[in-house]
Amino acid sequence: MSIWLSLSPRCFSQVQPRPPQGQQVPCFFIFGDSLVDNGNNNGILTLARANYRPYGIDFPLGPTGRFTNGRTYVDALAQLMGFRTYIPPSSRARGLELLRGVNYASGAAGIRQETGDNLGAHTSMNAQVANFGNTVQQLRRYFRGDNDSLSSYLSKCMFFSGMGSNDYLNNYFMPDFYSTSSDYTASAYATVLLQDYARQLGQLYSLGARKVMVTAVGQIGYIPYQLARTRANNTKCNEKINNVIQYFNTGLKKMVQNFNGGQLPGAKFVYLDFYKSSQDLSTNGTSFGFEVVDKGCCGVGRNNGQITCLPLQQPCENREKYLFWDAFHPTELANILLAKATYSSQSYTYPINIQQLAML
């Protein structure tokens, strides 16, 4: 991938900055967890870190904190939208760089504040939204305080939010650490999650977000971590988890319909059905070129799913044959395939695809 042309200071009070030729939107802001974290957890005290080999073994810059062997889903998506370099993590994004977007995602993060505490420090969705608010304050400098111009600029940007997986994996289905599974039925838990999430997405809207992608929780009952736990019972996956997260996914799609139906005037939300896509990749893996769909390319224990990749561990040789990189995360190829599918088709997007959202 080519290196970005350096930005030079300019006055933005009269003329708004335009994206480079071929770049479909001026900026891309990313919120989420380890599926899209690109280094925000590197400098904090947490077990949810990936800034060591073999993570990044196929990435040009090596181990950066991405929880896969190469590019993440949002890396691949940014390329499809014409960005010529990666969106920087919020931990090191500075100055004019903010104008083309920031990645606020943090491994182990969730919608709920306490989610992921079992793994150590992380940046929750509440904090990620607050960090974006700080970014907006900094951007005002480049628009000389012209809020209308800044709002117009942000309305053309793309926003991605992928949250919810950890609220199940590192909260609801961890009864020894959290009380949520005894405090709430599966349906009630989804309801409180969605209430919090609607508030957070509403805050992004109030800060200027207008083109927003939100993701369903994938079929986490099929990931190597869950398979390692259920294989002792000779089951192919943890259907209990898959059934429970459907409450959240169904409610999230309804939320998108409500937002688009006038609840957030001027906004356009797109629902990315990661549940269906992960199901298709798991059940029809061979048609995508995957030979191994139930084991991590690296890791420890049954299905390479009991512990994630250890430092300097030797991963599988042919990463393109594996759907999963480690106990939880897909390989670079899986991320690229999903990005292409959601960008230009409606197989996993509602009500429009990402390319159509970018063109609005």
Side-chain angles (χ1 to χ4, degrees):
M1 183 182 292
S2 61
I3 303 298
W4 259 90
L5 298 175
S6 60
L7 290 166
S8 57
R10 58 185 293 184
C11 173
F12 297 113
S13 59
Q14 301 299 322
V15 181
Q16 290 190 36
R18 294 181 179 179
Q21 188 174 5
Q23 188 178 303
Q24 295 156 23
V25 294
C27 44
F28 186 19
F29 293 97
I30 297 153
F31 305 81
D33 53 27
S34 59
L35 290 171
V36 293
D37 185 352
N38 64 345
N40 286 314
N41 278 17
N42 291 354
I44 61 178
L45 190 60
T46 177
L47 294 173
R49 290 172 67 161
N51 57 336
Y52 57 85
R53 287 180 71 90
Y55 289 97
I57 192 170
D58 298 311
F59 193 71
L61 304 176
T64 57
R66 289 166 168 83
F67 290 75
T68 184
N69 57 306
R71 285 165 287 177
T72 66
Y73 169 79
V74 291
D75 288 331
L77 194 57
Q79 285 184 288
L80 290 168
M81 290 191 292
F83 286 86
R84 288 178 282 178
T85 192
Y86 306 104
I87 304 301
S90 62
S91 58
R92 62 171 178 79
R94 298 290 182 272
L96 286 166
E97 195 174 34
L98 302 175
L99 282 164
R100 62 183 176 88
V102 180
N103 184 328
Y104 304 93
S106 172
I111 295 166
R112 289 176 67 90
Q113 190 66 26
E114 81 277 5
T115 289
D117 282 350
N118 54 296
L119 293 171
H122 58 275
T123 308
S124 67
M125 183 59 173
N126 285 330
Q128 290 181 36
V129 172
N131 287 343
F132 174 63
N134 293 333
T135 297
V136 172
Q137 290 285 2
Q138 293 177 64
L139 288 176
R140 284 201 174 95
R141 294 202 312 266
Y142 302 113
F143 290 84
R144 300 297 178 102
D146 186 341
N147 289 332
D148 289 342
S149 291
L150 175 57
S151 296
S152 176
Y153 183 75
L154 290 174
S155 72
K156 299 178 179 68
C157 299
M158 296 285 273
F159 290 75
F160 170 93
S161 182
M163 279 289 181
S165 296
N166 284 311
D167 293 294
Y168 289 97
L169 283 171
N170 286 299
N171 193 325
Y172 194 72
F173 287 109
M174 199 169 274
D176 292 341
F177 203 94
Y178 302 95
S179 65
T180 43
S181 59
S182 56
D183 294 340
Y184 302 100
T185 64
S187 175
Y189 185 64
T191 297
V192 297
L193 272 185
L194 291 163
Q195 287 172 345
D196 282 347
Y197 203 21
R199 172 184 53 79
Q200 293 158 349
L201 294 172
Q203 288 174 330
L204 290 182
Y205 171 83
S206 69
L207 289 165
R210 291 298 181 269
K211 301 180 182 183
V212 186
M213 301 165 268
V214 294
T215 69
V217 175
Q219 280 207 329
I220 52 181
Y222 275 109
I223 63 176
Y225 172 75
Q226 290 299 334
L227 296 178
R229 304 178 74 190
T230 58
R231 275 291 163 86
N233 301 323
N234 294 318
T235 56
K236 291 184 177 180
C237 75
N238 191 328
E239 286 295 354
K240 178 186 177 183
I241 288 184
N242 287 342
N243 292 335
V244 166
I245 60 178
Q246 285 288 49
Y247 289 108
F248 176 83
N249 290 341
T250 301
L252 182 61
K253 189 172 185 179
K254 180 66 176 175
M255 186 194 298
V256 165
Q257 291 172 332
N258 291 339
F259 284 165
N260 289 340
Q263 203 173 86
L264 297 180
K268 190 66 173 184
F269 279 71
V270 170
Y271 173 82
L272 306 180
D273 195 346
F274 280 13
Y275 187 91
K276 186 175 187 294
S277 65
S278 59
Q279 182 180 44
D280 287 350
L281 287 169
S282 293
T283 56
N284 306 311
T286 53
S287 64
F288 297 99
F290 297 115
E291 295 178 1
V292 183
V293 298
D294 60 349
K295 296 179 177 66
C297 174
C298 74
V300 177
R302 188 184 298 118
N303 294 76
N304 279 347
Q306 290 175 289
I307 301 176
T308 55
C309 310
L310 297 176
L312 303 179
Q313 182 182 4
Q314 186 64 38
C316 64
E317 196 168 313
N318 194 342
R319 267 85 70 182
E320 293 194 349
K321 299 298 182 184
Y322 278 71
L323 174 59
F324 289 100
W325 164 248
D326 63 10
F328 300 95
H329 308 99
T331 56
E332 177 185 57
L333 179 58
N335 286 326
I336 292 170
L337 290 172
L338 181 56
K340 288 179 177 178
T342 52
Y343 176 74
S344 58
S345 81
Q346 281 186 244
S347 301
Y348 308 117
T349 66
Y350 171 86
I352 56 177
N353 64 39
I354 294 170
Q355 184 176 31
Q356 291 168 326
L357 180 65
M359 293 170 63
L360 290 177

